[in-house]
Amino acid sequence: MPANQKYLTTSKWERLAKITAGLFGGYAISASIHVLIALWLPCHKLVLITSVYSLFLVWMLFFVLAFLFKKSWKTLVIYLVIIAVNCLVIYYGKLYYPVV
Amino acid sequence: MMSKRNYNVFFHTHTVSGIVISVALYIIFFAGAFALIKDEITVWEKGINYTRNVSGNSIDYDVLVEKIKTEKYDLYGRDIRIVIDEVSPEIFISLSASQDSLAPESSKKYEYFNINKNTYEISGYYAFYSFGELLYRLHFFNQVPIVGVYIAGFVAFFFLFAIVTGVIIHWKKMISNFYVFRPKAKLKTIWTDAHTVLGVIGLPFQFIYALTSCFFCLSFLVLLPANYLYDNDQQQLMEDLRPMTMSYPIETKSNQEFSLNQFRDKTLAKWEHFSMKQVYIRNYGATNMKYQADGIVEDEFIGNGRIIYDVPTGKVEIVKNPYEANYLEGVELTIRRLHFADYGGLALKIIYFMLALITCFVIITGVLIWLEARNKKNVPEAQKRFNQKVGHIYLAICLSMYPIIAFTFIITKLLPRNLDASRQSILYIVFFGLWLVASILLTLRKDNYFTNKISLQAGSIFAFCIPLVNGIISGNWIWNTIILHQYEILFIDIFWICLGLLTTYISLKLEKKQPKIVIKEKIIKTSKINLKNQITMNIKISMLWLFIAVGFIVHHIYGLFGVYYIESVMMEGATGEVPIDHHIYRILFEGIALLFALLTLQVSKKWFMMISFIWAILLGLFNIYHCVTAVIYESSNISEILILIWMLFVSILLVNDLWGCNKKIKTQTR
């Protein structure tokens, strides 16, 4: 019954990298996605109030996804790219449609 | 189609996240189940002089405000928050700091307290520390300072993770497995079937709790991006997202006479089924004073309404109709209602309670599957031993919670009301102390079947005692409470009888199906008891106990040294008589240490060593606490800190030696 070892990551560093990516990267992605949607859609209040639950769901989704990559560096790189792109979109969003 | 690899990865993440949070999650759900009925528990505990409450809609706000003004605090410029509860007779009041820049220092502090809605008597929030409150706070680890609630939050987040991965791995066979139950099969199969079936039944419930708890405990993670969007303008953010918390900058002082009750009556005339839950009186005594009533209509699920009046002019400023749901305000209310189960009366709370117990069972079976699955030939011996030990500890902590809670319920009734001031510390010592002792004893017993059986049996006995104790102490026998319509008290009694019956039934049905222990017990050569060794060990332990007693004495003497530097040694509020609890402290600390020092020389029985061991652990924990508080609060008192550190060191040695002794006795008796 325990999961078959041959499919699992054995290296401690690999595992640590994936957990880090899922926990911190996952949160960063989730938070930035919500911010950018709030900026680019006209109804930022509704997006923010939705984020009280959707933030955790999206975060959890990226946490799960982090484990599906075979190589941990791929997870890290992909997550960093997503965060960077989001940050760029947020930057322009804040420039053109600031909330306050 | 899921690949084999993905399936195994999901499986492993489900196992690991589940096992890591299991104990914490069990505690949260078990304590949380009781937290659902915490107000009923408080009423039950107070018991005597219980009269029916006036309705929350007929609170006299003029009397209430007058009472606070004359007895407690100056109100000008403050926001008064009034939280009304239907069950509890106490209204929670909090006062914000005065917005008036010229206000006296005493008005610039946040204050909170209770007011009885029947008598308008003011009492401190902690004047009566209820066991319901303790369990409620335990369910988000509030007893752990600062980080407790975040730990609970991350447990909730990983719970969400475990639920989702669990659903993914069971997805294909969800329906077919639901009907599979093989009670005659081997242990692991039974656990697996139960885990899957009950997990699926409780799924919506568990998902709701995982998600809503994330919000409650980790709301700062939601606020972080929101604050960024608003450039840290929190005032604006709160006004946009939580309109009920909107505050107004203060204008000038007003001398106009006013009555607040007219606004209550106007509000109630507007909506017939409205029941007020929170009332705010903002900018008290100013020209822009506001009366805000927040409440719900029970005939709607998201029926929250709000009305804000300007007090001097009597004009309505803002209305939120409870019959018109709106998403922005509905989200938080929905989360709250789903989490606190306050939308269907006591019947719903009972269903929630049972679902919480089912969840506890799912957690326990999860741990048992984990254990059984690792009890195989190809697993290394050392690993197996470690797993077994973890299993023993987990089950001991989780299962002993039930009898200890039941026992503390009895204690709450036995505590006389004149001990109300120290009620919180007594309840803490009784509940957490006994829980620790029970967990240690059951862990050392190393028998999961025994842990389960004794917990259920002891719990059932205590459960049946609870209504009896209630009747004897408060006279609230079940027939009396029925006649007097004291349904809250009646509910708790009936609740415990039912729970007792349930656990008795389960404990009678328990069959010993011990897993075959694959671990080869090390063959221990029972050598001749080395008498000499034993004696030196006993002398050593006895000396350590003596050191502890001496340490306490030195500590007391240091306390007296203040005399040399003019300081008065008389305590505040001393009456010339030694209070009884000070005698108890002396006996508990020096007395028992000296007793153990003597007895260790004379007795070397197994039970005695066990008792000394437990007492040494408790004393060690106390010494840690004592040392830490001394470092924080009297860091200049070097000599005292040194003696405390020394005592801590002695405590550690003592625990270590007694542990060795207990182990030795065990191997000898085998």
Side-chain angles (χ1 to χ4, degrees), chain B residues 198-488:
Chain B
L198 291 174
V200 171
I201 291 176
L203 189 65
F205 173 81
Q206 289 153 11
F207 184 76
I208 285 172
Y209 267 101
L211 196 54
T212 55
S213 317
C214 280
F215 165 67
F216 285 123
C217 298
L218 299 175
S219 51
F220 76 98
L221 291 176
V222 177
L223 284 174
L224 225 58
N227 265 329
Y228 168 75
L229 268 185
Y230 276 79
D231 287 333
N232 281 327
D233 186 352
Q234 297 199 0
Q235 178 85 13
Q236 185 64 41
L237 175 66
M238 281 298 141
E239 272 180 36
D240 278 359
L241 296 188
R242 307 188 69 214
M244 57 294 229
T245 60
M246 190 151 73
S247 59
Y248 303 83
I250 196 164
E251 287 172 9
T252 50
K253 200 162 185 159
S254 149
N255 291 322
Q256 199 186 329
E257 289 283 318
F258 56 84
S259 159
L260 295 169
N261 288 340
Q262 53 163 325
F263 299 113
R264 177 199 67 194
D265 297 336
K266 273 189 201 167
T267 311
L268 292 173
K270 204 171 169 66
W271 302 304
E272 203 182 332
H273 299 292
F274 194 67
S275 68
M276 296 200 195
K277 294 291 172 201
Q278 297 204 16
V279 170
Y280 296 86
I281 298 159
R282 300 193 189 275
N283 299 347
Y284 186 87
T287 46
N288 63 340
M289 179 174 171
K290 313 280 177 202
Y291 176 94
Q292 173 187 348
D294 273 280
I296 49 169
V297 283
E298 289 297 348
D299 30 8
E300 299 269 331
F301 181 72
I302 315 176
N304 63 321
R306 175 178 322 107
I307 193 157
I308 302 179
Y309 292 98
D310 187 66
V311 174
T313 61
K315 267 189 211 149
V316 177
E317 296 221 318
I318 292 173
V319 182
K320 155 78 180 69
N321 188 339
Y323 292 99
E324 283 165 19
N326 99 24
Y327 181 72
L328 192 71
E329 294 202 18
V331 169
E332 199 186 319
L333 183 71
T334 309
I335 289 179
R336 281 184 188 280
R337 301 209 96 169
L338 287 175
H339 193 100
F340 295 112
D342 60 355
Y343 55 94
L346 273 178
L348 182 82
K349 288 194 173 181
I350 293 169
I351 295 173
Y352 262 62
F353 190 91
M354 289 195 294
L355 283 167
L357 289 191
I358 287 177
T359 308
C360 288
F361 190 73
V362 172
I363 297 167
I364 291 283
T365 47
V367 174
L368 290 171
I369 295 169
W370 177 83
L371 262 183
E372 280 296 295
R374 274 151 193 78
N375 191 9
K376 279 190 195 143
K377 281 194 188 105
N378 56 356
V379 180
E381 289 288 294
Q383 185 64 42
K384 248 186 239 173
R385 260 172 221 286
F386 174 78
N387 292 345
Q388 293 280 349
K389 205 181 260 175
V390 171
H392 294 316
I393 296 172
Y394 277 20
L395 287 186
I397 295 175
C398 294
L399 295 176
S400 63
M401 230 180 137
Y402 171 56
I404 303 296
I405 287 180
F407 183 76
T408 317
F409 261 81
I410 298 175
I411 296 293
T412 59
K413 271 275 103 155
L414 294 176
L415 279 181
R417 286 302 298 269
N418 57 16
L419 283 180
D420 274 2
S422 40
R423 193 177 172 90
Q424 182 179 3
S425 6
I426 295 173
L427 286 182
Y428 269 40
I429 293 169
V430 169
F431 178 70
F432 290 111
L434 284 180
W435 190 14
L436 181 72
V437 171
S439 307
I440 292 172
L441 286 179
L442 290 174
T443 304
L444 294 177
R445 177 85 193 210
K446 290 186 183 165
D447 183 349
N448 290 342
Y449 173 78
F450 177 80
T451 305
N452 194 7
K453 185 120 186 161
I454 195 83
S455 299
L456 289 172
Q457 281 174 344
S460 314
I461 293 168
F462 294 142
F464 292 131
C465 290
I466 288 170
L468 293 179
V469 174
N470 187 27
I472 294 167
I473 302 288
S474 313
N476 290 326
W477 295 100
I478 290 180
W479 47 92
N480 286 344
T481 48
I482 294 175
I483 295 168
L484 296 170
H485 302 288
Q486 296 180 335
Y487 296 124
E488 285 86 5

Side-chain angles (χ1 to χ4, degrees), chain A residues 75-91:
Chain A
T75 324
L76 281 170
V77 169
I78 291 174
Y79 278 26
L80 281 174
V81 169
I82 296 176
I83 294 167
V85 170
N86 284 353
C87 285
L88 203 71
V89 179
I90 289 170
Y91 176 77

Side-chain angles (χ1 to χ4, degrees), chain A residues 4 27 44 50 53 68 94, chain B residues 5 8 221 228 230-231 327:
Chain A
N4 196 334
Y27 173 69
H44 70 272
T50 308
Y53 56 90
L68 289 185
K94 223 172 173 180
Chain B
R5 176 182 175 273
N8 279 287
L221 291 176
Y228 168 75
Y230 276 79
D231 287 333
Y327 181 72

